[in-house]
Amino acid sequence: MVILLTDLSQITSGATFPPFTEIPRLDRYRENKFLFDNKPQAVWNDLARLLEGDGGYSLLIALNYPQRLSKLWADLLFGETPRVTVYPENPENASDMSQFLLRSDFWNVSYQVALDVSRYGTGIYKLWLDGIPRVQSVPPHMWFPIVNPNNMNEIQAHVIAWFAEDKDIYTGRNKLLMEIHTSGQIEYRAYTIDGGIIGTDITDTIFPKRIERTGTNVPLVFPVHNISASDTPIGQDDYEAIAPILYELDQRLSQISRILNKHSDPHMAGPETALEQDEMGRYIFRGGAKYFPLEPGDPVPQYITWDGKLQAAFEEIKLLLSQLYVISETSPTLFGVDQGSIKTGAGLRKELIAPISKANRLRMRFDPVIRNLLLTAGELWIKDWREVSISWQEGLPVNDLEQAQIYTMLYNAGLVSQETAVKKLFSLDNETLNEELQRINSSEAVKNENTKTLLDGKTGLAAESALNGIQGEGYNNPLI
């Protein structure tokens, strides 16, 4: 069970930092960062020991699946930019929202947060005002939530804490800086810290003020959690469930490589006369491999080889990969692994039911947080943003022909309007949609007028007669 901080007194003078209750969470973050950076030997020490070569060098082959997995979910969420609509809908609100998203680099920041949600289980947005609202992603190891002791899912304050100097806090003096975010204000604190113990309050020497009023109804820190349950308010990362499989895959591939390398350069045995003396007086064999000298009368030189019998190892790798896709809720198709014919549209969606479901769960986590953040940005900026909606993209390749056929059938059946069909097909905003509908209607009017003119003329009469004949009204085409 996760134990979180319940009072600010747990991070003040005389207390340990990080708090003991937070150490398991921070350790997990540290390990997952190693996995994301493709350094599994820093997490699994015995893996490095098992794969140490004769000269002390590492034979490890590490598949950076963790980073690839995290980027996959971030791509499905933000690879195609979502569309934001602000209400009331008017040109001023639309322009202000567009300016905020652009100048704050909002979608790239959101991509970073999505990476953190996958690798750590929690991603953090922080909002502030600098002429225009700004937003940044905060590393989760700097975030210490203060929760209601009677309801751990209710966060009363968000503490962002970091060290002034990048050095080991347990071996020297440092400065601990904090921002404490609550509804309507930010409190700034600074302390000395020595050996992991918080010391003297030095806030006045570091920050120009202790309290900053924000005028908002919510704190300016917005956490997004991966999957979580009622007794685990911190999100669960994507690495913990697949760690045993990753360990076995890295070890198995590395051992196979070790065997192939060793036996592609086999040892040799032969007469002692094949040895030569080098400049240091040592007897060596210049064939490039290890040499075992034999006594006179022994058999002629021969290679010593071994059948590695690697088929079982490859079968295990195949099984491990299949379970990796199952547990991580992914598919070989998402990683570019050739599975035969290329699928699009409905065929692709059927194959990707599990990853699509997971991506939808993540959208359910991000959508309310982003909408709340945008409305709060409007409060900071004193804008008339009363509501915000987000149109998410699926992130999968779309079969344009299939979609056009679907909406054409729906429109002809009277189940959707022309406006809805065009908007869905081309992902248009309201202003562009109205312009496109006007062009369509104008083209339709010109087409109808041309048709009427054609039918009124001699050529038109002939065309009408031909049409009547085709429809069974007795006209016989002399060309048939």
Side-chain angles (χ1 to χ4, degrees):
M1 180 177 177
V2 178
I3 301 176
L4 299 176
L5 302 176
T6 58
D7 195 282
L8 286 171
S9 63
Q10 295 173 274
I11 47 175
T12 189
S13 296
T16 59
F17 191 88
F20 289 125
T21 57
E22 295 285 349
I23 289 178
R25 176 172 71 94
L26 299 178
D27 284 345
R28 186 66 191 170
Y29 290 167
R30 181 181 59 83
E31 291 177 358
N32 285 4
K33 187 178 188 309
F34 281 131
L35 293 176
F36 182 85
D37 292 338
N38 205 29
K39 299 176 181 177
Q41 67 274 21
V43 179
W44 303 314
N45 296 326
D46 59 330
L47 183 64
R49 177 185 59 80
L50 290 170
L51 299 173
E52 185 174 307
D54 296 334
Y57 54 88
S58 175
L59 299 172
L60 175 65
I61 294 179
L63 300 178
N64 199 355
Y65 187 86
Q67 184 179 123
R68 184 67 182 87
L69 179 64
S70 294
K71 290 192 292 187
L72 167 66
W73 301 124
D75 287 338
L76 289 177
L77 287 171
F78 299 108
E80 294 182 69
T81 304
R83 289 186 293 108
V84 176
T85 304
V86 58
Y87 302 95
E89 287 189 83
N90 56 58
E92 182 182 355
N93 278 348
S95 176
D96 289 339
M97 177 61 74
S98 178
Q99 184 182 13
F100 165 67
L101 296 175
L102 176 64
R103 293 181 60 182
S104 65
D105 200 18
F106 184 79
W107 298 119
N108 281 325
V109 172
S110 295
Y111 192 96
Q112 295 174 354
V113 174
L115 289 178
D116 287 347
V117 167
S118 173
R119 61 180 178 166
Y120 300 133
T122 297
I124 312 292
Y125 288 100
K126 190 180 85 168
L127 184 67
W128 79 97
L129 186 64
D130 181 19
I132 185 174
R134 304 285 185 177
V135 66
Q136 72 177 87
S137 59
V138 176
H141 72 267
M142 296 169 55
W143 173 68
F144 298 87
I146 309 297
V147 301
N148 183 339
N150 298 315
N151 179 8
M152 67 172 57
N153 289 302
E154 179 187 340
I155 299 177
Q156 298 177 322
H158 301 270
V159 179
I160 307 297
W162 69 100
F163 299 106
E165 300 177 32
D166 184 15
K167 62 183 180 182
D168 188 350
I169 64 170
Y170 297 108
T171 59
R173 293 178 60 84
N174 208 327
K175 296 174 183 177
L176 177 64
L177 311 181
M178 296 184 189
E179 294 178 2
I180 303 172
H181 292 256
T182 54
S183 298
Q185 74 173 36
I186 305 172
E187 179 183 355
Y188 298 94
R189 294 185 186 180
Y191 299 93
T192 60
I193 185 168
D194 191 355
I197 304 298
I198 301 176
T200 307
D201 186 326
I202 55 171
T203 303
D204 295 333
T205 65
I206 301 295
F207 294 108
K209 56 185 175 181
R210 286 179 174 263
I211 301 292
E212 178 182 351
R213 306 293 179 185
T214 63
T216 60
N217 296 322
V218 296
L220 300 185
V221 173
F222 303 85
V224 185
H225 302 299
N226 205 333
I227 183 173
S228 61
S230 59
D231 59 344
T232 54
I234 303 300
Q236 182 178 358
D237 62 80
D238 289 331
Y239 300 171
E240 185 174 5
I242 61 174
I245 298 178
L246 296 176
Y247 172 87
E248 188 65 22
L249 274 173
D250 285 348
Q251 179 178 231
R252 195 60 54 229
L253 287 170
S254 300
Q255 292 287 16
I256 289 174
S257 176
R258 182 178 191 175
I259 291 170
L260 295 177
N261 287 337
K262 183 180 289 291
H263 296 285
S264 65
D265 188 17
H267 300 332
M268 191 174 183
E272 190 173 359
T273 55
L275 297 177
E276 300 179 16
Q277 195 171 18
D278 64 7
E279 296 80 3
M280 304 296 294
R282 297 172 299 185
Y283 286 92
I284 62 171
F285 177 68
R286 297 191 182 277
K290 286 188 177 181
Y291 187 83
F292 297 92
L294 302 176
E295 296 295 332
D298 286 341
V300 295
Q302 60 180 332
Y303 284 104
I304 301 174
T305 60
W306 171 69
D307 182 4
K309 300 186 183 304
L310 299 177
Q311 186 59 37
F314 286 115
E315 289 297 324
E316 183 189 14
I317 289 174
K318 185 177 179 180
L319 175 62
L320 290 171
L321 285 173
S322 67
Q323 292 305 306
L324 184 64
Y325 295 136
V326 171
I327 296 175
S328 64
E329 301 181 82
T330 56
S331 165
T333 303
L334 289 174
F335 297 101
V337 179
D338 185 16
Q339 296 289 309
S341 60
I342 299 176
K343 299 182 179 67
T344 59
L348 180 62
R349 290 180 60 83
K350 182 178 179 181
E351 187 173 310
L352 301 181
I353 290 176
I356 288 174
S357 297
K358 165 118 188 216
N360 286 336
R361 289 202 306 270
L362 290 172
R363 289 190 191 98
M364 288 171 59
R365 295 287 183 171
F366 270 91
D367 187 87
V369 173
I370 292 179
R371 289 168 56 201
N372 191 18
L373 185 153
L374 295 178
L375 290 174
T376 305
E379 279 190 72
L380 282 176
W381 208 9
I382 316 178
K383 297 296 180 180
D384 185 26
W385 296 354
R386 302 175 195 173
E387 187 53 73
V388 170
S389 67
I390 303 173
S391 298
W392 294 88
Q393 310 302 314
E394 199 165 55
L396 298 175
V398 176
N399 187 324
D400 293 330
L401 176 60
E402 183 180 273
Q403 292 297 305
Q405 290 172 339
I406 290 173
Y407 280 105
T408 298
M409 288 188 293
L410 291 173
Y411 174 70
N412 290 335
L415 298 178
V416 298
S417 65
Q418 183 188 46
E419 180 179 352
T420 298
V422 174
K423 183 174 184 178
K424 293 291 186 181
L425 271 175
F426 303 108
S427 300
L428 304 178
D429 58 44
N430 290 335
E431 183 177 352
T432 308
L433 174 63
N434 291 332
E435 294 174 357
E436 184 64 23
L437 289 174
Q438 290 177 5
R439 284 193 289 267
I440 291 174
N441 293 331
S442 298
S443 299
E444 190 67 25
V446 171
K447 179 180 176 182
N448 292 338
E449 182 63 30
N450 290 339
T451 302
K452 182 177 183 301
T453 302
L454 182 66
L455 292 174
D456 285 344
K458 293 182 180 180
T459 306
L461 292 173
E464 185 177 19
S465 298
L467 180 61
N468 291 336
I470 293 172
Q471 294 174 341
E473 296 185 5
Y475 177 78
N476 293 320
N477 190 341
L479 298 179
I480 299 179

mmCIF file of all heavy atoms in Angstrom, residues 228-262:
data_model
loop_
_atom_site.group_PDB
_atom_site.id
_atom_site.type_symbol
_atom_site.label_atom_id
_atom_site.label_comp_id
_atom_site.label_asym_id
_atom_site.label_seq_id
_atom_site.Cartn_x
_atom_site.Cartn_y
_atom_site.Cartn_z
ATOM 1 N N SER A 228 -4.957 3.547 -12.017
ATOM 2 C CA SER A 228 -4.842 3.532 -10.564
ATOM 3 C C SER A 228 -6.132 2.967 -9.991
ATOM 4 O O SER A 228 -7.175 2.953 -10.651
ATOM 5 C CB SER A 228 -4.585 4.944 -10.009
ATOM 6 O OG SER A 228 -5.658 5.812 -10.338
ATOM 7 N N ALA A 229 -6.045 2.488 -8.759
ATOM 8 C CA ALA A 229 -7.207 1.933 -8.071
ATOM 9 C C ALA A 229 -7.520 2.794 -6.852
ATOM 10 O O ALA A 229 -6.820 3.776 -6.554
ATOM 11 C CB ALA A 229 -6.945 0.486 -7.652
ATOM 12 N N SER A 230 -8.587 2.423 -6.125
ATOM 13 C CA SER A 230 -9.024 3.237 -4.996
ATOM 14 C C SER A 230 -7.984 3.304 -3.885
ATOM 15 O O SER A 230 -7.940 4.263 -3.125
ATOM 16 C CB SER A 230 -10.339 2.684 -4.440
ATOM 17 O OG SER A 230 -10.179 1.337 -4.013
ATOM 18 N N ASP A 231 -7.136 2.265 -3.769
ATOM 19 C CA ASP A 231 -6.135 2.254 -2.702
ATOM 20 C C ASP A 231 -4.743 2.619 -3.211
ATOM 21 O O ASP A 231 -3.765 2.489 -2.484
ATOM 22 C CB ASP A 231 -6.093 0.878 -2.030
ATOM 23 C CG ASP A 231 -5.752 -0.230 -3.010
ATOM 24 O OD1 ASP A 231 -5.842 0.010 -4.233
ATOM 25 O OD2 ASP A 231 -5.404 -1.338 -2.558
ATOM 26 N N THR A 232 -4.631 3.059 -4.478
ATOM 27 C CA THR A 232 -3.338 3.466 -5.028
ATOM 28 C C THR A 232 -3.512 4.779 -5.781
ATOM 29 O O THR A 232 -3.714 4.774 -6.996
ATOM 30 C CB THR A 232 -2.783 2.386 -5.980
ATOM 31 O OG1 THR A 232 -3.791 2.099 -6.974
ATOM 32 C CG2 THR A 232 -2.424 1.119 -5.239
ATOM 33 N N PRO A 233 -3.462 5.909 -5.082
ATOM 34 C CA PRO A 233 -3.700 7.201 -5.738
ATOM 35 C C PRO A 233 -2.630 7.567 -6.755
ATOM 36 O O PRO A 233 -2.893 8.360 -7.656
ATOM 37 C CB PRO A 233 -3.712 8.186 -4.564
ATOM 38 C CG PRO A 233 -2.918 7.509 -3.489
ATOM 39 C CD PRO A 233 -3.181 6.051 -3.646
ATOM 40 N N ILE A 234 -1.424 7.010 -6.607
ATOM 41 C CA ILE A 234 -0.366 7.257 -7.587
ATOM 42 C C ILE A 234 -0.523 6.260 -8.723
ATOM 43 O O ILE A 234 -0.762 5.075 -8.506
ATOM 44 C CB ILE A 234 1.020 7.110 -6.933
ATOM 45 C CG1 ILE A 234 1.146 8.057 -5.743
ATOM 46 C CG2 ILE A 234 2.118 7.398 -7.952
ATOM 47 C CD1 ILE A 234 0.983 9.510 -6.085
ATOM 48 N N GLY A 235 -0.407 6.730 -9.954
ATOM 49 C CA GLY A 235 -0.593 5.852 -11.110
ATOM 50 C C GLY A 235 0.457 4.755 -11.188
ATOM 51 O O GLY A 235 1.584 4.907 -10.715
ATOM 52 N N GLN A 236 0.088 3.668 -11.808
ATOM 53 C CA GLN A 236 0.999 2.536 -12.000
ATOM 54 C C GLN A 236 1.729 2.700 -13.323
ATOM 55 O O GLN A 236 1.108 2.962 -14.359
ATOM 56 C CB GLN A 236 0.222 1.221 -11.986
ATOM 57 C CG GLN A 236 1.108 -0.005 -12.124
ATOM 58 C CD GLN A 236 0.308 -1.298 -12.061
ATOM 59 O OE1 GLN A 236 -0.899 -1.271 -11.872
ATOM 60 N NE2 GLN A 236 0.980 -2.416 -12.212
ATOM 61 N N ASP A 237 3.046 2.543 -13.311
ATOM 62 C CA ASP A 237 3.820 2.710 -14.537
ATOM 63 C C ASP A 237 3.654 1.503 -15.444
ATOM 64 O O ASP A 237 3.134 0.457 -15.049
ATOM 65 C CB ASP A 237 5.295 2.937 -14.199
ATOM 66 C CG ASP A 237 5.912 1.746 -13.480
ATOM 67 O OD1 ASP A 237 6.269 0.770 -14.160
ATOM 68 O OD2 ASP A 237 6.026 1.772 -12.240
ATOM 69 N N ASP A 238 4.120 1.641 -16.686
ATOM 70 C CA ASP A 238 3.992 0.576 -17.678
ATOM 71 C C ASP A 238 5.126 -0.440 -17.618
ATOM 72 O O ASP A 238 5.085 -1.443 -18.347
ATOM 73 C CB ASP A 238 3.953 1.171 -19.092
ATOM 74 C CG ASP A 238 2.661 1.913 -19.377
ATOM 75 O OD1 ASP A 238 1.625 1.533 -18.787
ATOM 76 O OD2 ASP A 238 2.680 2.875 -20.174
ATOM 77 N N TYR A 239 6.146 -0.208 -16.791
ATOM 78 C CA TYR A 239 7.324 -1.063 -16.801
ATOM 79 C C TYR A 239 7.263 -2.198 -15.788
ATOM 80 O O TYR A 239 7.836 -3.269 -16.009
ATOM 81 C CB TYR A 239 8.584 -0.242 -16.536
ATOM 82 C CG TYR A 239 8.865 0.852 -17.532
ATOM 83 C CD1 TYR A 239 9.876 1.783 -17.313
ATOM 84 C CD2 TYR A 239 8.129 0.970 -18.714
ATOM 85 C CE1 TYR A 239 10.146 2.786 -18.216
ATOM 86 C CE2 TYR A 239 8.388 1.977 -19.618
ATOM 87 C CZ TYR A 239 9.402 2.887 -19.367
ATOM 88 O OH TYR A 239 9.674 3.887 -20.270
ATOM 89 N N GLU A 240 6.618 -1.955 -14.654
ATOM 90 C CA GLU A 240 6.669 -2.927 -13.566
ATOM 91 C C GLU A 240 6.123 -4.294 -13.987
ATOM 92 O O GLU A 240 6.705 -5.336 -13.668
ATOM 93 C CB GLU A 240 5.884 -2.402 -12.360
ATOM 94 C CG GLU A 240 5.992 -3.298 -11.129
ATOM 95 C CD GLU A 240 5.320 -2.688 -9.910
ATOM 96 O OE1 GLU A 240 4.688 -1.616 -10.052
ATOM 97 O OE2 GLU A 240 5.429 -3.279 -8.824
ATOM 98 N N ALA A 241 5.020 -4.316 -14.731
ATOM 99 C CA ALA A 241 4.386 -5.580 -15.095
ATOM 100 C C ALA A 241 5.215 -6.381 -16.095
ATOM 101 O O ALA A 241 5.140 -7.609 -16.124
ATOM 102 C CB ALA A 241 2.993 -5.313 -15.667
ATOM 103 N N ILE A 242 6.018 -5.689 -16.917
ATOM 104 C CA ILE A 242 6.773 -6.392 -17.957
ATOM 105 C C ILE A 242 8.244 -6.548 -17.603
ATOM 106 O O ILE A 242 9.001 -7.135 -18.388
ATOM 107 C CB ILE A 242 6.659 -5.655 -19.307
ATOM 108 C CG1 ILE A 242 7.241 -4.237 -19.202
ATOM 109 C CG2 ILE A 242 5.218 -5.622 -19.777
ATOM 110 C CD1 ILE A 242 7.280 -3.506 -20.531
ATOM 111 N N ALA A 243 8.667 -6.063 -16.435
ATOM 112 C CA ALA A 243 10.083 -6.118 -16.052
ATOM 113 C C ALA A 243 10.643 -7.544 -16.073
ATOM 114 O O ALA A 243 11.750 -7.764 -16.586
ATOM 115 C CB ALA A 243 10.283 -5.473 -14.687
ATOM 116 N N PRO A 244 9.947 -8.562 -15.519
ATOM 117 C CA PRO A 244 10.508 -9.925 -15.569
ATOM 118 C C PRO A 244 10.730 -10.429 -16.992
ATOM 119 O O PRO A 244 11.712 -11.122 -17.268
ATOM 120 C CB PRO A 244 9.458 -10.774 -14.832
ATOM 121 C CG PRO A 244 8.709 -9.802 -13.977
ATOM 122 C CD PRO A 244 8.681 -8.525 -14.755
ATOM 123 N N ILE A 245 9.829 -10.072 -17.903
ATOM 124 C CA ILE A 245 9.991 -10.500 -19.298
ATOM 125 C C ILE A 245 11.171 -9.786 -19.938
ATOM 126 O O ILE A 245 11.955 -10.389 -20.681
ATOM 127 C CB ILE A 245 8.690 -10.233 -20.083
ATOM 128 C CG1 ILE A 245 7.543 -11.048 -19.494
ATOM 129 C CG2 ILE A 245 8.872 -10.566 -21.556
ATOM 130 C CD1 ILE A 245 6.209 -10.812 -20.168
ATOM 131 N N LEU A 246 11.306 -8.482 -19.669
ATOM 132 C CA LEU A 246 12.430 -7.730 -20.223
ATOM 133 C C LEU A 246 13.762 -8.281 -19.726
ATOM 134 O O LEU A 246 14.730 -8.397 -20.487
ATOM 135 C CB LEU A 246 12.304 -6.251 -19.849
ATOM 136 C CG LEU A 246 11.103 -5.503 -20.415
ATOM 137 C CD1 LEU A 246 11.064 -4.074 -19.871
ATOM 138 C CD2 LEU A 246 11.144 -5.490 -21.938
ATOM 139 N N TYR A 247 13.800 -8.629 -18.442
ATOM 140 C CA TYR A 247 15.025 -9.206 -17.861
ATOM 141 C C TYR A 247 15.401 -10.480 -18.597
ATOM 142 O O TYR A 247 16.564 -10.675 -18.993
ATOM 143 C CB TYR A 247 14.794 -9.488 -16.375
ATOM 144 C CG TYR A 247 15.920 -10.252 -15.706
ATOM 145 C CD1 TYR A 247 17.011 -9.580 -15.170
ATOM 146 C CD2 TYR A 247 15.896 -11.638 -15.619
ATOM 147 C CE1 TYR A 247 18.052 -10.269 -14.562
ATOM 148 C CE2 TYR A 247 16.933 -12.342 -15.017
ATOM 149 C CZ TYR A 247 17.999 -11.657 -14.484
ATOM 150 O OH TYR A 247 19.022 -12.341 -13.893
ATOM 151 N N GLU A 248 14.443 -11.366 -18.796
ATOM 152 C CA GLU A 248 14.725 -12.649 -19.436
ATOM 153 C C GLU A 248 15.092 -12.464 -20.900
ATOM 154 O O GLU A 248 15.991 -13.147 -21.422
ATOM 155 C CB GLU A 248 13.508 -13.566 -19.307
ATOM 156 C CG GLU A 248 13.743 -14.993 -19.761
ATOM 157 C CD GLU A 248 14.751 -15.718 -18.889
ATOM 158 O OE1 GLU A 248 14.952 -15.295 -17.734
ATOM 159 O OE2 GLU A 248 15.333 -16.716 -19.369
ATOM 160 N N LEU A 249 14.426 -11.536 -21.592
ATOM 161 C CA LEU A 249 14.754 -11.283 -22.998
ATOM 162 C C LEU A 249 16.181 -10.765 -23.158
ATOM 163 O O LEU A 249 16.930 -11.233 -24.021
ATOM 164 C CB LEU A 249 13.764 -10.270 -23.587
ATOM 165 C CG LEU A 249 12.453 -10.811 -24.147
ATOM 166 C CD1 LEU A 249 11.528 -9.669 -24.519
ATOM 167 C CD2 LEU A 249 12.694 -11.712 -25.350
ATOM 168 N N ASP A 250 16.555 -9.779 -22.344
ATOM 169 C CA ASP A 250 17.908 -9.231 -22.431
ATOM 170 C C ASP A 250 18.948 -10.305 -22.142
ATOM 171 O O ASP A 250 19.981 -10.399 -22.822
ATOM 172 C CB ASP A 250 18.069 -8.062 -21.453
ATOM 173 C CG ASP A 250 17.370 -6.801 -21.929
ATOM 174 O OD1 ASP A 250 16.962 -6.774 -23.100
ATOM 175 O OD2 ASP A 250 17.231 -5.856 -21.133
ATOM 176 N N GLN A 251 18.678 -11.121 -21.132
ATOM 177 C CA GLN A 251 19.633 -12.168 -20.769
ATOM 178 C C GLN A 251 19.728 -13.224 -21.871
ATOM 179 O O GLN A 251 20.828 -13.648 -22.246
ATOM 180 C CB GLN A 251 19.219 -12.829 -19.449
ATOM 181 C CG GLN A 251 20.160 -13.941 -19.025
ATOM 182 C CD GLN A 251 19.767 -14.551 -17.694
ATOM 183 O OE1 GLN A 251 20.586 -14.678 -16.802
ATOM 184 N NE2 GLN A 251 18.514 -14.943 -17.552
ATOM 185 N N ARG A 252 18.585 -13.663 -22.395
ATOM 186 C CA ARG A 252 18.597 -14.713 -23.406
ATOM 187 C C ARG A 252 19.287 -14.254 -24.676
ATOM 188 O O ARG A 252 20.124 -14.970 -25.238
ATOM 189 C CB ARG A 252 17.157 -15.131 -23.694
ATOM 190 C CG ARG A 252 17.017 -16.434 -24.444
ATOM 191 C CD ARG A 252 17.629 -17.615 -23.714
ATOM 192 N NE ARG A 252 17.123 -17.755 -22.376
ATOM 193 C CZ ARG A 252 17.889 -17.916 -21.302
ATOM 194 N NH1 ARG A 252 19.214 -17.940 -21.415
ATOM 195 N NH2 ARG A 252 17.368 -18.051 -20.101
ATOM 196 N N LEU A 253 18.979 -13.060 -25.147
ATOM 197 C CA LEU A 253 19.623 -12.558 -26.364
ATOM 198 C C LEU A 253 21.122 -12.371 -26.171
ATOM 199 O O LEU A 253 21.926 -12.657 -27.061
ATOM 200 C CB LEU A 253 18.976 -11.240 -26.781
ATOM 201 C CG LEU A 253 17.574 -11.343 -27.387
ATOM 202 C CD1 LEU A 253 16.957 -9.967 -27.535
ATOM 203 C CD2 LEU A 253 17.616 -12.032 -28.741
ATOM 204 N N SER A 254 21.504 -11.895 -24.998
ATOM 205 C CA SER A 254 22.925 -11.680 -24.719
ATOM 206 C C SER A 254 23.671 -12.997 -24.647
ATOM 207 O O SER A 254 24.804 -13.105 -25.136
ATOM 208 C CB SER A 254 23.081 -10.902 -23.405
ATOM 209 O OG SER A 254 22.438 -9.647 -23.480
ATOM 210 N N GLN A 255 23.049 -14.015 -24.061
ATOM 211 C CA GLN A 255 23.705 -15.325 -23.973
ATOM 212 C C GLN A 255 23.851 -15.947 -25.359
ATOM 213 O O GLN A 255 24.872 -16.574 -25.668
ATOM 214 C CB GLN A 255 22.896 -16.254 -23.063
ATOM 215 C CG GLN A 255 22.894 -15.862 -21.589
ATOM 216 C CD GLN A 255 24.219 -16.148 -20.900
ATOM 217 O OE1 GLN A 255 25.238 -16.369 -21.541
ATOM 218 N NE2 GLN A 255 24.210 -16.133 -19.573
ATOM 219 N N ILE A 256 22.839 -15.793 -26.194
ATOM 220 C CA ILE A 256 22.951 -16.304 -27.570
ATOM 221 C C ILE A 256 24.091 -15.613 -28.296
ATOM 222 O O ILE A 256 24.898 -16.251 -28.986
ATOM 223 C CB ILE A 256 21.617 -16.086 -28.318
ATOM 224 C CG1 ILE A 256 20.548 -17.035 -27.770
ATOM 225 C CG2 ILE A 256 21.798 -16.312 -29.819
ATOM 226 C CD1 ILE A 256 19.170 -16.788 -28.346
ATOM 227 N N SER A 257 24.165 -14.301 -28.149
ATOM 228 C CA SER A 257 25.243 -13.556 -28.782
ATOM 229 C C SER A 257 26.602 -14.007 -28.258
ATOM 230 O O SER A 257 27.568 -14.149 -29.024
ATOM 231 C CB SER A 257 25.054 -12.058 -28.531
ATOM 232 O OG SER A 257 26.124 -11.319 -29.059
ATOM 233 N N ARG A 258 26.668 -14.260 -26.962
ATOM 234 C CA ARG A 258 27.924 -14.705 -26.354
ATOM 235 C C ARG A 258 28.356 -16.046 -26.947
ATOM 236 O O ARG A 258 29.531 -16.237 -27.283
ATOM 237 C CB ARG A 258 27.735 -14.832 -24.851
ATOM 238 C CG ARG A 258 28.980 -15.235 -24.076
ATOM 239 C CD ARG A 258 28.676 -15.274 -22.596
ATOM 240 N NE ARG A 258 29.892 -15.411 -21.794
ATOM 241 C CZ ARG A 258 29.906 -15.365 -20.476
ATOM 242 N NH1 ARG A 258 28.774 -15.189 -19.808
ATOM 243 N NH2 ARG A 258 31.038 -15.488 -19.812
ATOM 244 N N ILE A 259 27.406 -16.967 -27.109
ATOM 245 C CA ILE A 259 27.718 -18.284 -27.663
ATOM 246 C C ILE A 259 28.177 -18.164 -29.113
ATOM 247 O O ILE A 259 29.185 -18.757 -29.517
ATOM 248 C CB ILE A 259 26.480 -19.202 -27.558
ATOM 249 C CG1 ILE A 259 26.207 -19.543 -26.097
ATOM 250 C CG2 ILE A 259 26.680 -20.475 -28.378
ATOM 251 C CD1 ILE A 259 24.880 -20.231 -25.869
ATOM 252 N N LEU A 260 27.449 -17.379 -29.914
ATOM 253 C CA LEU A 260 27.810 -17.240 -31.322
ATOM 254 C C LEU A 260 29.166 -16.569 -31.492
ATOM 255 O O LEU A 260 29.954 -16.956 -32.368
ATOM 256 C CB LEU A 260 26.721 -16.447 -32.046
ATOM 257 C CG LEU A 260 25.343 -17.125 -32.129
ATOM 258 C CD1 LEU A 260 24.340 -16.204 -32.815
ATOM 259 C CD2 LEU A 260 25.431 -18.454 -32.856
ATOM 260 N N ASN A 261 29.440 -15.564 -30.682
ATOM 261 C CA ASN A 261 30.744 -14.900 -30.763
ATOM 262 C C ASN A 261 31.875 -15.841 -30.388
ATOM 263 O O ASN A 261 32.928 -15.874 -31.033
ATOM 264 C CB ASN A 261 30.769 -13.675 -29.842
ATOM 265 C CG ASN A 261 29.950 -12.529 -30.379
ATOM 266 O OD1 ASN A 261 29.700 -12.441 -31.573
ATOM 267 N ND2 ASN A 261 29.499 -11.649 -29.496
ATOM 268 N N LYS A 262 31.645 -16.604 -29.322
ATOM 269 C CA LYS A 262 32.704 -17.496 -28.843
ATOM 270 C C LYS A 262 33.028 -18.581 -29.869
ATOM 271 O O LYS A 262 34.196 -18.882 -30.128
ATOM 272 C CB LYS A 262 32.277 -18.134 -27.517
ATOM 273 C CG LYS A 262 33.346 -19.032 -26.884
ATOM 274 C CD LYS A 262 32.857 -19.617 -25.586
ATOM 275 C CE LYS A 262 32.763 -18.550 -24.503
ATOM 276 N NZ LYS A 262 34.093 -18.055 -24.064
#
